[in-house]
């Protein structure tokens, strides 16, 4: 078993509406509460970071599975949406919706497209961030898959 360690340093100067800073190996940014939650909206925030972690983990997992399946990939992009519920002052991250758009090259056939659609669902279940939030945040997939003309 291999264990990988990731480290992050956070500095926070004071109260709720202050602006802090986080730094890890590749990520260095200011942090604050977003405007949607009546914060100063400077830098990023936990809601964006969770969405970013889920989205990047998913798209990398999907790309790796497409490559291992030898599918003729032409284009892969995605938009993701995070939904946070605020009820009686309690913030709850309810749902993440991934909307991958995958275009296979013209050499692909219907069998390849069917395999791709299975991989789209499988990638979500294999992504470590999806596994980490399972049971706490609903994950929804709204994929568009095509074969190039």
């Amino acid at each position: 078993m291999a264990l990988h360690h990731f480290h992050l340093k956070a500095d926070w100067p004071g109260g709720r509406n202050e602006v802090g800073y986080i730094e890890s190996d590749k990520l260095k940014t200011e942090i604050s509460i977003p405007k949607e939650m009546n914060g100063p909206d400077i830098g990023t925030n936990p809601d964006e970071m969770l969405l970013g972690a889920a989205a990047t983990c998913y798209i990398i997992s999907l790309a790796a599975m497409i490559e291992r399946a030898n599918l003729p990939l032409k284009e892969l992009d995605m938009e993701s949406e995070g939904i946070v519920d605020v009820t009686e002052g309690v913030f709850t991250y309810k749902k993440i919706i991934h909307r991958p758009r995958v275009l296979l090259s013209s050499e692909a056939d219907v069998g390849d497209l069917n395999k791709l659609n299975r991989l789209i669902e499988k990638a979500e279940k294999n992504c470590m961030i999806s596994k980490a939030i399972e049971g706490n945040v609903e994950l929804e997939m709204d994929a568009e898959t095509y074969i190039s003309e």
Side-chain angles (χ1 to χ4, degrees):
M1 174 174 68
L3 296 176
H4 302 279
H5 297 258
F6 299 91
H7 302 275
L8 182 135
K9 181 178 182 332
D11 290 314
W12 192 260
R16 179 191 188 279
N17 285 322
E18 298 291 336
V19 177
Y21 186 79
I22 58 172
E23 181 175 339
S24 61
D25 185 36
K26 305 273 187 305
L27 176 65
K28 297 168 178 52
T29 188
E30 291 179 305
I31 55 171
S32 72
I33 295 172
K35 67 179 177 284
E36 296 85 355
M37 297 174 183
N38 300 315
D41 201 38
I42 297 171
T44 191
N45 59 69
D47 308 284
E48 284 181 344
M49 291 179 64
L50 180 60
L51 181 60
T56 55
C57 183
Y58 174 78
I59 201 166
I60 291 168
S61 296
L62 179 58
M65 291 177 148
I66 290 169
E67 182 178 284
R68 282 193 299 271
N70 293 314
L71 291 176
L73 179 65
K74 184 171 182 180
E75 293 177 21
L76 169 60
D77 60 45
M78 185 172 79
E79 291 185 15
S80 293
E81 176 182 2
I83 300 171
V84 175
D85 174 57
V86 183
T87 301
E88 297 181 13
V90 177
F91 295 83
T92 305
Y93 216 114
K94 297 302 270 187
K95 181 190 280 192
I96 292 175
I97 305 166
H98 293 311
R99 295 181 178 96
R101 189 186 66 82
V102 188
L103 179 64
L104 297 178
S105 67
S106 59
E107 65 198 57
D109 59 26
V110 174
D112 292 329
L113 195 60
N114 290 335
K115 185 185 284 188
L116 171 63
N117 288 324
R118 287 191 302 276
L119 292 178
I120 283 171
E121 295 299 323
K122 188 176 180 182
E124 179 198 322
K125 291 169 183 37
N126 287 336
C127 163
M128 72 175 179
I129 301 299
S130 296
K131 289 180 198 177
I133 63 176
E134 185 176 18
N136 293 306
V137 178
E138 180 185 348
L139 290 168
E140 183 178 312
M141 201 62 50
D142 184 16
E144 295 180 21
T145 58
Y146 310 95
I147 297 174
S148 180
E149 295 179 8

